[in-house]
Amino acid sequence: MLTLSEPMLLRSQNLIDDQWRDAGLGARLAVTDPATAEAFANVADSDAGDARLAVDAAAAAFPAWSRRPARERAQLLKRWHALILEHEEDLARIISTEQGKPLKEARGEVQYGASYVEWFAEEATRICGDIVAEAVPGRKLLVLKEPVGVVAAITPWNFPLAMIARKIAPALAAGCTVVAKPAEDTPLTALALAWLAQQAGMPAGVVNIVTASREHTPGVVDAWLSDSRVRKVTFTGSTPVGKHLARESAATLKKLSLELGGNAPFIVFDDADLDAAVDGLMASKFRNGGQTCVCPNRVYVHDTVHDDFVERLARRVGALHVGPATEDAAQIGPMINARAVDKIARHVEDAVARGARVVTGGKRVRSADGPHYYAPTVLVDATPAMELSCEETFGPVAPIFRFCDEAEVIRDANDTPFGLAAYFYSNDIRRIWRVAQALETGMVGINEGAIAAEAAPFGGVKESGYGREGSRHGLDDYMHTKYLCQGQLG
Ligand code: SIN
């Protein structure tokens, strides 16, 4: 049962042009609690018609919003930021209930998401172009930054607040307007954020949210992809969907930011501080129950420290408390849905069949509470032949691979089409630079497991996508560069 101190946060309709509206065809989408797999709310199940209405509103709002002084846009974002923090507890409860993240982590997500809103409110006032030294007398060369136009933001379920905040905030800061579709599993947080944006005084049409089921999502997304008024698509999610978006937006050559799948390596060298490495792995692997794109998916431990590391890690992992997200003691909540738990179980079964050994976990748990719990797991003797080595498990499973030398582990770490994040622990300064440069990823944690921050550029290389979120680069992704050449100046 979800009770909020501000019941207005619980929305069940789309926000289009400052109006809360049902889907045109009246369809509804049930929202389920992953702890129990039972429906506890419902929202609009929109189709292409609703998606086009949202673009109509965003396109109509764009000229005035983009011309509004940056400081005014910043002030509205700051008001939104303050309201998000003011409603932290309610938002955290919505996140935990629809996504399954333990409450303590959900509160952290509210602060994390809000930090992007504050960051981009500040960055809005620092958008600068250039005046270039003239090559020819009598000419002035100027470079302006301009908002790209209407942005379509498509966001995942694993961080229902932070991911949409870090797309909408830079878009608005740059002067763009937004149509957004949250994941079908977690629409309520996005709608609550949109209500807060409305309370902050965002003008009509600047932020529009459309919710849709898995079945109707393609219709909504295709309506945006084929609409030439939508000038940018920003997406966080799987690589196959990212490739579809890239292909389908080619006809109108939209700007794209794609934050896609990862298969992060986490390397523990023989000169590492093992306690720090265990802390780092606990923080990055078990955050959100292992359901993050930057979670380590393959843990490489040097032969000489392997057994010691595994023993320390297994003690910590075995002590993690699994339980409903809204229970104060919970450190690992339910996985998002049945498909997610089935995939985790399949990966562990495949690994064991191919020679891995379960040190702790390795099974479904708490089935009396609900069907979506999986025990935090450590496996040893993992090899590249196992499914979990090639594919993101997206669950609380740490498979340990033993290695003997640096060149070998770098080759293995890079032996994947993905390149989002990598982590390593070492106290040798030469090795640190060597390895950091050799790893083929967009982000590297060096003696650090928690790398994401609003001031840092988040994003990948290879099939993990392109574009950056956060930092000043995150704002650039919502602008294009216009060059002015003025002649006849004598
Ligand atoms: C993600 O899993 O896509 C985002 C994780 C983060 O922001 O740290």
Side-chain angles (χ1 to χ4, degrees):
M1 181 67 184
L2 179 60
T3 39
L4 302 175
S5 46
E6 175 48 273
M8 294 296 279
L9 283 166
L10 204 56
R11 314 301 307 178
S12 60
Q13 293 167 302
N14 291 330
L15 179 64
I16 299 177
D17 207 12
D18 212 28
Q19 306 292 316
W20 292 96
R21 304 179 188 195
D22 287 328
L25 296 180
R28 307 296 298 165
L29 159 66
V31 185
T32 57
D33 177 347
T36 57
E38 279 166 15
F40 69 96
N42 62 72
V43 295
D45 187 2
S46 316
D47 66 5
D50 304 300
R52 275 190 290 274
L53 278 181
V55 180
D56 293 346
F62 176 69
W65 179 250
S66 59
R67 281 199 294 268
R68 205 145 167 175
R71 187 156 297 282
E72 286 182 24
R73 294 200 301 269
Q75 277 159 356
L76 282 165
L77 282 166
K78 282 194 176 160
R79 234 175 278 154
W80 190 30
H81 169 252
L83 287 172
I84 294 170
L85 291 183
E86 206 176 288
H87 293 86
E88 175 184 315
E89 191 57 28
D90 277 348
L91 290 168
R93 286 186 182 277
I94 298 174
I95 294 172
S96 280
T97 310
E98 68 174 350
Q99 194 259 294
K101 179 174 289 161
L103 249 186
K104 189 160 168 267
E105 276 194 60
R107 292 183 189 114
E109 181 179 344
V110 177
Q111 289 173 18
Y112 177 52
S115 73
Y116 285 93
V117 178
E118 183 178 41
W119 172 268
F120 286 112
E122 289 163 354
E123 285 295 295
T125 59
R126 298 187 197 118
I127 298 171
C128 297
D130 303 305
I131 299 176
V132 183
E134 52 264 43
V136 177
R139 274 195 194 171
K140 287 282 175 215
L141 279 49
L142 296 98
V143 180
L144 309 183
K145 293 284 186 182
E146 293 188 332
V148 293
V150 176
V151 171
I154 304 164
T155 58
W157 52 263
N158 60 344
F159 289 87
L161 189 144
M163 296 303 102
I164 199 159
R166 82 181 184 196
K167 292 178 183 342
I168 293 182
L172 302 194
C176 301
T177 54
V178 176
V179 294
K181 194 206 77 69
E184 45 285 348
D185 291 306
T186 55
L188 296 173
T189 309
L191 294 172
L193 268 190
W195 185 75
L196 289 174
Q198 206 181 25
Q199 306 316 300
M202 287 303 167
V206 168
V207 176
N208 305 278
I209 310 274
V210 170
T211 55
S213 62
R214 202 161 269 115
E215 188 193 346
H216 286 154
T217 287
V220 168
V221 171
D222 289 347
W224 291 345
L225 291 173
S226 59
D227 193 324
S228 60
R229 296 172 299 171
V230 174
R231 294 313 315 145
K232 175 176 171 104
V233 175
T234 172
F235 170 69
T236 297
S238 76
T239 294
V241 173
K243 288 180 179 177
H244 170 79
L245 299 178
R247 269 192 305 272
E248 296 303 313
S249 59
T252 50
L253 281 183
K254 299 185 199 310
K255 200 171 163 102
L256 282 170
S257 290
L258 301 174
E259 200 260 271
L260 308 177
N263 182 2
F266 185 106
I267 308 170
V268 183
F269 286 102
D270 49 352
D271 55 54
D273 173 339
L274 290 195
D275 283 332
V278 171
D279 285 346
L281 186 59
M282 294 303 295
S284 55
K285 175 71 247 185
F286 295 98
R287 175 172 171 232
N288 198 17
Q291 302 172 108
T292 90
C293 300
V294 287
C295 271
N297 201 50
R298 297 165 292 153
V299 183
Y300 296 96
V301 184
H302 193 273
D303 185 47
T304 57
V305 294
H306 178 276
D307 295 356
D308 192 1
F309 181 84
V310 170
E311 196 190 315
R312 296 184 205 200
L313 179 68
R315 221 178 300 132
R316 295 274 298 276
V317 174
L320 286 172
H321 183 83
V322 181
T326 43
E327 244 175 37
D328 273 342
Q331 291 168 298
I332 304 284
M335 301 295 106
I336 186 70
N337 54 34
R339 276 179 301 134
V341 205
D342 290 346
K343 181 180 185 188
I344 297 165
R346 195 185 77 232
H347 274 191
V348 172
E349 279 158 27
D350 169 76
V352 170
R354 292 174 196 266
R357 181 167 59 82
V358 175
V359 182
T360 185
K363 56 180 189 302
R364 295 170 192 258
V365 282
R366 293 188 74 122
S367 34
D369 293 329
H372 298 160
Y373 293 96
Y374 200 88
T377 298
V378 177
L379 299 173
V380 288
D381 301 331
T383 69
M386 298 170 181
E387 276 181 47
L388 50 63
S389 165
C390 318
E391 219 188 301
E392 265 181 311
T393 301
F394 236 61
V397 178
I400 315 281
F401 300 69
R402 197 187 282 263
F403 75 93
C404 292
D405 81 55
E406 185 183 304
E408 166 205 341
V409 77
I410 288 175
R411 196 189 54 236
D412 287 352
N414 287 337
D415 187 18
T416 165
F418 303 102
L420 189 57
Y423 308 81
F424 68 93
Y425 278 71
S426 167
N427 279 321
D428 174 339
I429 187 70
R430 290 194 184 81
R431 167 175 278 158
I432 284 175
W433 281 100
R434 230 175 19 243
V435 174
Q437 288 178 310
L439 288 168
E440 296 169 356
T441 56
M443 298 173 280
V444 181
I446 306 167
N447 295 329
E448 180 57 63
I451 55 175
E454 76 285 4
F458 191 106
V461 297
K462 294 161 72 178
E463 293 191 23
S464 291
Y466 39 72
R468 292 294 178 266
E469 296 191 319
S471 80
R472 69 185 165 80
H473 304 285
L475 190 58
D476 257 354
D477 270 24
Y478 292 85
M479 295 186 293
H480 55 228
T481 300
K482 182 185 272 179
Y483 158 54
L484 309 184
C485 177
Q486 185 176 5
Q488 305 295 326
L489 291 172

